[in-house]
Amino acid sequence: MTETSPVRATKPRQVRPATEGWSQKKDAEGRPLLQFASPKRGKPPVHLADLTPEQRVEKVKELGLPGFRAKQLEKHYFTHYTHDPADMTDLPAEGREEFVRGMLPPLLTEVRRLETDRGDTIKFLWKLHDGALVESVLMRYTGRITLCVSSQAGCGMNCPFCATGQAGLTRNMSAAEIIEQVIRANRLIADGGLGDPRRVGHEGERVTNIVFMGMGEPLANYARVMQSVRVMTDKKHGIGMSARGVTVSTVGLVPAITKLANEDIPVTFALSLHAPDDKLRDELIPVNSRWKVDEALDAARDYFDKTGRRVSIEYALIKDMNDHAWRADLLAEKLNQRGRGWVHVNPIPLNPTPGSIWTASDVDVQNEFVRRLNDAGIPTTLRDTRGKEIDGACGQLVATEDDEAVAAATPAED
């Protein structure tokens, strides 16, 4: 009989957040730099979507036309997805072009378009009026069409595992620049660019879901993001989407979460947590140095209490960093301490980014993490990621040197 050695329990491997191929910006004290204020740059021209319905009427009058023309313009833009004066034959021919340009100035120039998933996922690279670059991703799923929009050019939250955060914050986007991403996506769908609607959907289909998970921290651009949400959900003077189809995500700006809860607009709220313990989250999500895990979770629970809308917890699973079984248990414990039925967890296998040594969790580890949460009574669903092949998945959106070269050679749209 051969003698066997007793099996020794191995301690879970712990990888600390670090960067490779790029340097994380630091403040004078050596902490990761957080940029909440937008750098000063030339503002985009004021657009119909930046204004309230009342302000639109006043602007139309300033341009020398009767106020009711504002309603006509709203219909052309928000319902027919056009800013072309030639399409607006119900407006007076004389001065029509100047009037439309005054109310609907060009905001985005399409630089490139990449497709994957047999044409069901499209990533757009847009150039803004000042040359800043942003991306949005359009995705067809069974029964819905989702658009992932950007709210800032770059991002100031400096999370080391996110490609967007490596670039820093260029500037906030205007409400109209956010809305224009939706209008351009709807125009593409209407033109059959996401498949013939008569074959894959139905006539008149459009974007049904918006996720503020593109470039930027939405709640750091609070006023403009909320104006865009109002336009998206306004059934008389806007796009007319359901607020329940709009998801606003944040890495945990607690005062802004509290403000959002009081808006009386029942959007879906998503908290990008990524670690249940402050020791790791301080390094993984630098804003945790301002507002700790428990503060962010308390604010998320308060959002549920005030709106009745179940909160989503986003959790990127990173191999040997935050995917340990004990972290799943700790996350479940913290969520259950705040009650049952108020939250849903979305683990997301990490998407690779340039310059990062990290990778997604092994499948068995990922499944164990999900199992522990579900067994603890926390509804948990692994996120179906799209667009990895075109760097269009969560955390991958960033303007590359090649993008910048192509953008520089692309003339602005009229």
Side-chain angles (χ1 to χ4, degrees):
M1 184 183 230
T2 305
E3 187 177 347
T4 57
S5 301
V7 177
R8 293 181 181 175
T10 57
K11 188 176 180 182
R13 186 163 179 252
Q14 175 65 67
V15 174
R16 308 308 307 176
T19 61
E20 183 178 272
W22 66 284
S23 298
Q24 192 177 39
K25 294 179 181 177
K26 302 288 180 72
D27 64 17
E29 283 76 41
R31 296 171 301 197
L33 181 67
L34 293 167
Q35 293 175 270
F36 292 100
S38 177
K40 293 192 175 179
R41 293 169 66 107
K43 291 183 179 179
V46 176
H47 184 282
L48 178 83
D50 292 313
L51 306 173
T52 65
E54 296 75 21
Q55 290 170 333
R56 293 169 194 166
V57 170
E58 291 306 310
K59 180 82 180 290
V60 166
K61 289 179 178 177
E62 286 174 18
L63 294 172
L65 275 79
F68 73 86
R69 298 293 184 193
K71 182 70 174 173
Q72 292 175 298
L73 208 55
E74 288 170 350
K75 187 164 186 179
H76 285 297
Y77 187 65
F78 296 126
T79 305
H80 301 304
Y81 321 125
T82 183
H83 57 261
D84 186 349
D87 295 333
M88 306 181 190
T89 54
D90 55 345
L91 296 176
E94 186 178 348
R96 182 195 304 163
E97 189 153 340
E98 293 78 8
F99 168 63
V100 173
R101 291 290 177 243
M103 294 295 292
L104 302 174
L107 297 174
L108 305 184
T109 294
E110 184 177 338
V111 174
R112 61 170 34 152
R113 185 186 303 183
L114 298 174
E115 297 185 12
T116 187
D117 301 319
R118 300 176 304 280
D120 283 345
T121 301
I122 300 175
K123 182 175 79 166
F124 302 92
L125 175 65
W126 308 106
K127 180 167 68 172
L128 308 183
H129 81 101
D130 57 355
L133 300 177
V134 299
E135 294 180 316
S136 48
V137 184
L138 183 64
M139 297 160 282
R140 179 188 289 283
Y141 296 91
T142 302
R144 71 185 192 277
I145 298 177
T146 298
L147 181 68
C148 178
V149 298
S150 291
S151 55
Q152 296 178 310
C155 183
M157 296 299 100
N158 210 356
C159 300
F161 64 97
C162 176
T164 314
Q166 297 176 20
L169 177 62
T170 300
R171 70 166 171 89
N172 285 332
M173 294 177 69
S174 69
E177 288 172 330
I178 297 169
I179 289 295
E180 179 73 357
Q181 295 171 75
V182 186
I183 298 299
R184 298 288 283 268
N186 280 338
R187 179 74 262 164
L188 176 135
I189 295 166
D191 290 341
L194 201 61
D196 184 347
R198 292 167 296 183
R199 181 178 60 81
V200 298
H202 56 83
E203 297 278 6
E205 75 174 355
R206 61 178 186 168
V207 171
T208 57
N209 295 71
I210 299 289
V211 290
F212 279 87
M213 296 181 183
M215 290 181 171
E217 161 54 52
L219 295 191
N221 187 19
Y222 189 89
R224 296 166 191 85
V225 164
M226 289 315 302
Q227 168 64 10
S228 72
V229 169
R230 292 186 188 97
V231 171
M232 289 171 190
T233 57
D234 190 330
K235 298 195 185 306
K236 283 182 65 178
H237 300 281
I239 298 173
M241 300 178 67
S242 166
R244 295 172 184 270
V246 178
T247 298
V248 177
S249 175
T250 180
V251 291
L253 278 63
V254 168
I257 298 171
T258 302
K259 199 173 175 183
L260 181 67
N262 294 317
E263 287 284 355
D264 197 28
I265 304 177
V267 298
T268 299
F269 171 67
L271 174 63
S272 294
L273 193 69
H274 306 309
D277 54 307
D278 286 322
K279 184 176 180 181
L280 177 59
R281 196 169 191 264
D282 280 349
E283 299 179 61
L284 206 54
I285 310 290
V287 82
N288 204 68
S289 63
R290 298 279 189 98
W291 301 287
K292 298 300 184 183
V293 169
D294 286 330
E295 292 176 89
L297 291 177
D298 285 344
R301 170 68 210 210
D302 182 59
Y303 185 87
F304 170 79
D305 290 338
K306 287 183 175 168
T307 66
R309 299 285 292 133
R310 190 170 67 162
V311 171
S312 288
I313 300 293
E314 310 294 317
Y315 198 106
L317 286 168
I318 309 172
K319 184 175 181 179
D320 294 332
M321 184 172 294
N322 66 350
D323 61 355
H324 309 99
W326 72 264
R327 283 197 162 95
D329 294 340
L330 179 59
L331 176 59
E333 179 186 332
K334 284 180 176 286
L335 297 178
N336 281 330
Q337 281 173 353
R338 292 164 172 82
R340 298 290 182 118
W342 69 277
V343 71
H344 177 270
V345 176
N346 262 328
I348 311 161
L350 181 77
N351 296 303
T353 61
S356 175
I357 58 174
W358 308 337
T359 188
S361 303
D362 293 334
V363 173
D364 59 333
V365 173
Q366 169 185 291
N367 292 342
E368 176 66 8
F369 197 94
V370 171
R371 184 193 68 77
R372 284 174 177 262
L373 285 164
N374 278 317
D375 286 356
I378 305 294
T380 303
T381 309
L382 197 69
R383 171 80 68 80
D384 173 22
T385 57
R386 289 279 198 92
K388 282 190 287 189
E389 299 83 0
I390 54 174
D391 291 335
C394 292
Q396 290 186 313
L397 301 185
V398 66
T400 64
E401 290 183 6
D402 183 50
D403 289 337
E404 291 171 356
V406 174
T410 303
E413 294 179 15
D414 294 328

